[in-house]
Amino acid sequence: MTYYMWRNVATLMDDFRPSEFAVNFSNGRGLLHFTFERGASERLLTVWIDGPSKDGIHENATDIVFPGVQAKRATVADIMNGTEQELDLAMNGSDTVLKGMLIKDYPVFVTISR
């Protein structure tokens, strides 16, 4: 299982580089996140619940806001099985909002395209 997880992470992060950009969470307490960029049009957010592991999968719901970003597309990927799902976008002025995202106790990969 570990091999496939790392393979999925390597595939998801192909050509992304560390980059700083603003991300806000409606319920961000206890979350750890990192941001990356590929070219000028794609951004990647990795986020998970920080802290010691527990049995089972734990998750928290939060809205994710990308201030000043008018995204055209957003996807979330599961590193355990490599599946990717298209997300519904909401615009709030010049911000892109992903409502009710389930953040787990392992990394969730959210990619947005501008």
Side-chain angles (χ1 to χ4, degrees), residues 1 6 12 21 25 27 29 31 42 45 47 49-50 53 66 68 70 73 75 81-85 97 99 104 110:
M1 178 71 185
W6 283 115
L12 289 166
F21 55 85
F25 303 93
N27 179 20
R29 195 170 134 203
L31 297 182
E42 287 185 290
L45 168 70
V47 58
I49 299 170
D50 192 22
S53 298
F66 296 93
Q70 292 286 316
R73 181 174 188 254
T75 59
N81 60 25
T83 59
E84 197 172 41
Q85 178 182 349
V97 181
K99 295 184 182 252
K104 302 182 184 322
V110 178

Side-chain angles (χ1 to χ4, degrees), residues 22-69:
V23 179
N24 299 319
F25 303 93
S26 63
N27 179 20
R29 195 170 134 203
L31 297 182
L32 185 62
H33 75 280
F34 296 93
T35 54
F36 304 87
E37 201 164 35
R38 177 169 52 196
S41 63
E42 287 185 290
R43 290 183 172 176
L44 173 68
L45 168 70
T46 60
V47 58
W48 62 92
I49 299 170
D50 192 22
S53 298
K54 299 175 184 170
D55 287 341
I57 296 173
H58 299 274
E59 55 191 20
N60 291 338
T62 185
D63 294 347
I64 300 175
V65 180
F66 296 93
V69 174

